[in-house]
Amino acid sequence: MATTESMIDEALSSIPAAPATLALLRRLHTQALTEPAYVSTDDTQPASAALDRFVALEPAKCALVYLLLRASGARYIVEAGTSFGVSTVYLALAARQNALAAGLQEGQGGKVIATENEPAKADRARTHWAQTGGEDRVGEWIDLRVGDIRETLRTNLPEAVDFLLLDIWAYLALPALRLVKPKMRIGATVVADNVVAAQESYGDLLAYLDDPANGFKRSTAPYPGGLLIAVYVGSSG
Ligand SMILES: C[S@@+](CC[C@H](N)C(=O)[O-])C[C@H]1O[C@@H](n2cnc3c(N)ncnc32)[C@H](O)[C@@H]1O
């Protein structure tokens, strides 16, 4: 059986990043994986005990997200649910690397819009990003919006969003998708965590994605809890 360390090592083996960035991710994943598991199945509010827990997308899922981003050349990325900013590091690395690969200048032509409701968590996320290797410029690629996602994603989105990571309490997944969808380009990808483990709570999201009028195709990858991958194919798809 894979150990925590070997799972993290395997995931990080696909991530080109500065040694300080990889060391930070290794430390944060280890911390997150040693906390008791938490799956959001709550339709209203998370249990207050969950508020301070170190919850982060598992390393293998982060690596998959990173590879999907690199495969699609995604540069404009929205993250619903940032917490302590672990997954956000992967998003920022991919946005920057895709922008540079497309011949764009440093800091140009891409952004990760990160969202977190709790100011203390947002502060921790910023602290973590400042501990990444300077050459990765992680913080420069992130626009962190602190507040309720139903407000923070209401304005000032990129004209063409390439990717949406839904890693937030299940009842907020569909509201977040509805806010971002008008800006999604054809081929934009949506990833949502724990859709099998929290199937009932995700009922509205799954029904929305399955309605042909909304223009999505989806599949669920058999990662722990189930990882939904949906593609916006548009009304003619
Ligand atoms: C599963 S955690 C995100 C983990 C993060 N993606 C990672 O892998 O490092 C979900 C986060 O969504 C945040 N959240 C909950 N309700 C929110 C809301 N209404 N607006 C913005 N963020 C919210 C929670 O505080 C929590 O930190």
Side-chain angles (χ1 to χ4, degrees):
M1 186 163 155
T3 62
T4 298
E5 200 181 334
S6 66
M7 282 192 302
I8 295 171
D9 283 347
E10 189 187 336
L12 292 181
S13 67
S14 300
I15 311 300
T21 306
L22 295 173
L24 176 79
L25 290 173
R26 189 169 280 112
R27 179 167 67 77
L28 296 180
H29 278 307
T30 304
Q31 200 177 337
L33 287 169
T34 52
E35 293 268 337
Y38 173 76
V39 173
S40 169
T41 52
D42 191 333
D43 280 337
T44 54
Q45 290 291 321
S48 58
L51 293 178
D52 295 318
R53 279 207 186 136
F54 198 132
V55 183
L57 198 64
E58 293 102 307
K61 295 176 183 173
C62 287
L64 176 74
V65 165
Y66 171 84
L67 292 172
L68 289 173
L69 292 167
R70 294 305 310 272
S72 60
R75 290 185 281 114
Y76 289 97
I77 300 164
V78 178
E79 177 176 63
T82 291
S83 191
F84 300 138
V86 180
S87 51
T88 329
V89 173
Y90 293 82
L91 306 184
L93 288 170
R96 173 173 182 262
Q97 291 166 6
N98 284 333
L100 297 185
L104 294 157
Q105 299 292 316
E106 189 65 65
Q108 305 284 309
K111 197 52 94 182
V112 176
I113 295 171
T115 57
E116 178 50 53
N117 202 26
E118 294 180 44
K121 287 185 179 179
D123 286 346
R124 286 269 301 273
R126 284 194 200 94
T127 302
H128 291 151
W129 300 334
Q131 293 166 1
T132 57
E135 57 271 55
D136 288 329
R137 296 170 181 258
V138 164
E140 294 172 36
W141 288 79
I142 300 170
D143 167 8
L144 175 59
R145 302 185 182 181
V146 183
D148 191 315
I149 196 166
R150 291 162 290 193
E151 295 306 321
T152 58
L153 289 187
R154 203 166 278 285
T155 54
N156 208 13
L157 289 176
E159 275 315 304
V161 171
D162 299 306
F163 196 98
L164 170 64
L165 176 60
L166 295 169
D167 191 22
I168 197 162
W169 314 147
Y171 76 97
L172 292 167
L174 181 57
L177 175 60
R178 282 186 188 278
L179 287 170
V180 177
K181 191 194 163 201
K183 301 291 189 183
M184 280 184 167
R185 68 163 171 84
I186 299 290
T189 305
V190 180
V191 167
D193 194 23
N194 278 324
V195 293
V196 175
Q199 199 163 3
E200 277 183 30
S201 303
Y202 277 114
D204 60 350
L205 176 76
L206 300 178
Y208 180 89
L209 292 171
D210 288 342
D211 181 344
N214 294 321
F216 287 92
K217 300 290 181 201
R218 72 170 174 104
S219 185
T220 304
Y223 285 77
L227 192 72
L228 176 131
I229 301 173
V231 175
Y232 179 55
V233 296
S235 48
S236 59

